[in-house]
Amino acid sequence: HADLVAEALLGMILFSIGLTYGFTSIGDQVGVLLPAAFIDTFEEPPSPYYPYRQGVLIALGTMFALGFMATRAEPALNVVGQTVEKLSKGSFTCNMLVYSVCIGVGTGMMVGATKILFGAPLIWFILLKYAVALCLSSFANEDFINIAWDSAGVTTGPVTVPFVLATGVGCSKAVRASEGFGILACASVWPIITVLVVDGLRRLYKSSTAPRQTTVKFVG
């Protein structure tokens, strides 16, 4: 099996090169360009390109879309989704987990971007999102609590981490912020929240569509 090992090794090398020179560079360029949508930046002399409110919506919407697509490209996410679908016997499908995690990471990137772009304090984001996650966990089943909290591990994947960090650094350079960290911290908890919300909606729908049993009393 030496040929298979060589092919796997070659694939990992090409994958790492593509991340380093492609995906990470794109993340840095996107981070630099996004603030130019609504503020005047040194890197883009013609900026801002749009009115302030419209530019903010475009920038945050783009951050959400990029986070969604970067997470969807994670190789391990489909494996986790298939495992969850098998263990739940199809009640929580692979697509439900995959897209709920993607929405969570996209939302986290969008919220985390406000910390860099507008100088919002990160501590309040951290306290609020963990409070929401813990509150939702108190109403969920034990099995799905484990699934939801483990799903946050997708933000440590080989695709998401370099892209998110590069985007944050690019944004910080554009707005002259002291550092570009915080986006990954926000993106790591929102998948927990979205998975728990989807599970709650799934259970609510299941209970509402379940046939109701009626009891007939005979009087004699």
Side-chain angles (χ1 to χ4, degrees):
H1 303 288
D3 54 340
L4 298 179
V5 174
E7 291 177 2
L9 183 60
L10 178 61
M12 290 300 297
I13 293 173
L14 295 176
F15 181 72
S16 299
I17 293 175
L19 285 178
T20 303
Y21 296 100
F23 213 47
T24 305
S25 299
I26 291 175
D28 183 72
Q29 293 174 15
V30 168
V32 171
L33 289 174
L34 278 181
F38 61 95
I39 61 174
D40 186 11
T41 61
F42 179 77
E43 286 78 6
E44 294 296 319
S47 58
Y49 295 111
Y50 303 97
Y52 185 80
R53 291 185 178 180
Q54 183 181 355
V56 169
L57 292 177
I58 291 174
L60 295 181
T62 303
M63 289 293 288
F64 174 85
L66 292 174
F68 185 98
M69 291 185 290
T71 307
R72 188 65 185 86
E74 278 291 347
L77 186 57
N78 280 325
V79 178
V80 175
Q82 292 171 6
T83 304
V84 170
E85 182 175 359
K86 181 179 180 181
L87 294 177
S88 64
K89 298 179 180 179
S91 62
F92 200 94
T93 64
C94 177
N95 285 335
M96 290 172 65
L97 180 72
V98 168
Y99 287 108
S100 59
V101 171
C102 291
I103 292 173
V105 175
T107 305
M109 283 191 65
M110 182 176 62
V111 173
T114 61
K115 180 262 178 187
I116 300 174
L117 297 177
F118 307 110
L122 182 62
I123 183 64
W124 296 113
F125 290 132
I126 294 176
L127 293 176
L128 178 61
K129 66 184 182 179
Y130 273 105
V132 173
L134 291 173
C135 180
L136 292 174
S137 298
S138 64
F139 296 100
N141 295 328
E142 180 69 21
D143 294 338
F144 283 97
I145 293 175
N146 300 330
I147 293 171
W149 285 83
D150 283 349
S151 66
V154 72
T155 57
T156 63
V159 176
T160 306
V161 171
F163 182 76
V164 172
L165 290 179
T167 305
V169 172
C171 287
S172 66
K173 290 191 296 184
V175 299
R176 294 293 189 270
S178 58
E179 42 81 20
F181 298 102
I183 295 183
L184 195 60
C186 292
S188 63
V189 180
W190 275 99
I192 302 172
I193 297 174
T194 52
V195 171
L196 289 173
V197 168
V198 169
D199 177 54
L201 294 175
R202 178 190 63 85
R203 289 188 287 111
L204 183 63
Y205 175 77
K206 185 177 180 180
S207 62
S208 64
T209 56
R212 298 181 179 180
Q213 296 181 352
T214 58
T215 303
V216 180
K217 295 182 179 181
F218 294 94
V219 179

